[in-house]
Amino acid sequence: MIPHLFRNEYSRITAVLSKTFGFENITVAEDIASETFLAAMVSWPYKGIPENPTAWLYTVAKNKSKNHLKHRQILDEKIKADLGYTSTLVKEEEIDLSEKNITDSQLQMLFAICHPSIPAEAQISLALRILCGFGIDEIADAFLSNKETVTKRIYRAKEKLRNEKTKIVFPPKEEIDNRLGTVLRTIYLLFSEGYYSVRKDTVIRKELCLEAMKLNLLLLKNEQTNCHLSNALMSLMCFHSSRIEARQDENG
């Protein structure tokens, strides 16, 4: 239950919180999303899985966000102001985890990550980490690299985007066209990892294929990104997905 929810909801929570806090505080957003799932792992085995697990996660994420903002506000007012520092974190506000805002935030985050100021491999690594919930090991396997290289690549990409003061918003039409190729490569890499996993314990990971198709569907739902390339990729993934059940017999 929790691994499935983590794959689906971690990226959604992170995208919304990153948009709310600003890209310069993306680590805060990732930490709150991780702490939310840690709370589920501590609570659910003893109290039972709630009737609506997703709503439970969203409520916990909202409460942790509010608590963090309150603590930061107190720190800014009582300590940082006297030292001459200014905070880059937003003041306390309502965290919007509605379906529409989640969808918009994920798509905006996807294009923010695929910024031309960072190399394509770094863009894809960062997208796989933040938007797809990939672990460092999985990304390293996908790139036939090692964990240290991937960790450094993601760190440098985040720093570059912070320095560029990248905003999590829809870019202009011409920028969307320039970045769409990297966005589609990211989605296809995610699908490929699911369709033919490099893991030794499993060959097919259906949840990754589904996640890739969900991300592609975000592109198709937006009129600015609903183009022939996006539709072509979705068609390719649908074609391959139709053959998944036939690729394994009763022995796997």
Side-chain angles (χ1 to χ4, degrees), residues 15-249:
V16 170
L17 295 184
S18 296
K19 179 181 176 180
T20 303
F21 298 160
F23 201 96
E24 63 273 16
N25 294 297
I26 191 170
T27 301
V28 174
E30 291 179 291
D31 288 345
I32 291 176
S34 297
E35 290 169 6
T36 297
F37 281 92
L38 179 60
M41 293 177 67
V42 171
S43 174
W44 293 1
Y46 299 99
K47 297 182 179 180
I49 298 174
E51 185 175 342
N52 189 332
T54 300
W56 189 96
L57 291 170
Y58 289 176
T59 299
V60 172
K62 288 180 181 180
N63 290 336
K64 287 185 176 294
S65 299
K66 290 177 181 179
N67 289 337
H68 182 83
L69 290 171
K70 285 180 181 178
H71 294 156
R72 282 296 297 267
Q73 187 172 357
I74 293 173
L75 178 66
D76 292 345
E77 292 175 353
K78 295 188 175 181
I79 299 176
K80 285 191 174 182
D82 293 337
L83 298 176
Y85 291 107
T86 57
S87 175
T88 59
L89 199 64
V90 298
K91 299 299 182 181
E92 183 179 351
E93 63 177 79
E94 183 63 30
I95 306 298
D96 182 5
L97 281 166
S98 65
E99 190 62 34
K100 184 181 185 305
N101 192 51
I102 288 173
T103 299
D104 289 346
S105 298
Q106 284 185 295
L107 192 54
Q108 291 165 4
M109 173 64 83
L110 191 56
F111 277 93
I113 287 172
C114 296
H115 195 280
S117 66
I118 60 176
E121 282 192 348
Q123 295 171 3
I124 294 173
S125 297
L126 195 55
L128 291 174
R129 177 62 176 161
I130 296 173
L131 281 174
C132 304
F134 263 40
I136 298 298
D137 288 340
E138 293 174 296
I139 300 174
D141 288 340
F143 279 106
L144 301 178
S145 184
N146 57 67
K147 293 189 295 183
E148 291 74 18
T149 298
V150 170
T151 300
K152 291 178 181 178
R153 181 183 298 158
I154 290 176
Y155 176 79
R156 287 194 295 265
K158 287 181 179 179
E159 285 298 298
K160 183 67 174 178
L161 292 175
R162 287 192 193 100
N163 294 335
E164 293 281 341
K165 301 187 184 303
T166 303
K167 302 296 183 183
I168 302 176
V169 296
F170 285 115
K173 181 64 169 65
E174 59 274 13
E175 279 298 306
I176 288 179
D177 294 340
N178 291 337
R179 300 185 201 178
L180 186 59
T182 300
V183 170
L184 295 175
R185 283 196 298 273
T186 299
I187 294 173
Y188 189 59
L189 183 59
L190 173 60
F191 182 86
S192 297
E193 166 60 21
Y195 190 72
Y196 187 75
S197 177
V198 297
R199 287 190 172 185
K200 297 179 180 179
D201 58 341
T202 183
V203 176
I204 299 174
R205 301 171 66 189
K206 295 179 183 178
E207 75 278 8
L208 298 192
C209 295
L210 180 60
E211 187 66 21
M213 297 175 79
K214 285 180 180 178
L215 289 177
N216 204 138
L217 190 59
L218 295 178
L219 299 174
L220 301 185
K221 287 182 176 179
N222 187 286
E223 62 179 18
Q224 297 185 77
T225 53
N226 184 13
C227 62
H228 66 283
L229 289 175
S230 303
N231 280 276
L233 179 57
M234 179 61 85
S235 298
L236 179 64
M237 291 191 292
C238 286
F239 171 72
H240 286 311
S241 295
S242 69
R243 305 166 60 204
I244 284 180
E245 297 301 331
R247 293 184 62 222
Q248 286 183 299
D249 59 18

